[in-house]
């Protein structure tokens, strides 16, 4: 409980609204969970991952610039991760 209530609400709000601006709707509370279903296509998942990477880059630019990835990773559910 202590870890959950210690989350950065303001950062979550920025992430939530950034994802919404990218066309990805998440639960509006940092305390809720999201689920993937069989209705989500590989394209849906890849678009969500790319949107999250784009939003993360605006919130934590040093993380992605200094990461060992070298680029934003994407995921194809059948092929695995690509960089």
């Amino acid at each position: 409980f202590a870890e959950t209530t210690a989350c950065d609400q303001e950062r979550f709000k920025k992430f939530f609204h950034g994802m919404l601006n990218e066309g990805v709707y998440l639960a509006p509370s940092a305390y809720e969970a999201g689920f993937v279903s069989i209705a989500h296509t590989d394209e849906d998942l890849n678009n969500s991952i790319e949107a999250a990477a784009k939003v993360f880059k605006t919130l934590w630019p040093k993380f992605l610039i200094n990461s060992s990835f070298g680029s934003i990773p994407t995921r194809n559910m059948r092929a695995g991760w690509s960089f």
Side-chain angles (χ1 to χ4, degrees):
F1 179 78
E3 289 177 1
T4 304
T5 57
C7 72
D8 187 335
Q9 290 288 327
E10 289 305 311
R11 189 171 279 176
F12 175 80
K13 286 179 189 177
K14 290 177 184 176
F15 178 72
F16 170 81
H17 287 287
M19 291 295 284
L20 198 57
N21 289 337
E22 292 298 319
V24 178
Y25 181 78
L26 302 172
S29 171
Y31 303 114
E32 296 182 52
F35 300 94
V36 177
S37 78
I38 196 164
H40 293 100
T41 65
D42 287 351
E43 183 178 7
D44 293 331
L45 298 175
N46 284 332
N47 289 341
S48 297
I49 291 167
E50 289 172 11
K54 186 175 179 181
V55 173
F56 282 143
K57 193 172 184 180
T58 67
L59 298 176
W60 299 282
K62 288 184 179 180
F63 170 75
L64 290 175
I65 291 169
N66 295 328
S67 75
S68 60
F69 294 135
S71 63
I72 296 172
T74 58
R75 169 119 169 126
N76 179 301
M77 294 307 289
R78 291 182 183 85
W81 289 98
S82 63
F83 297 89

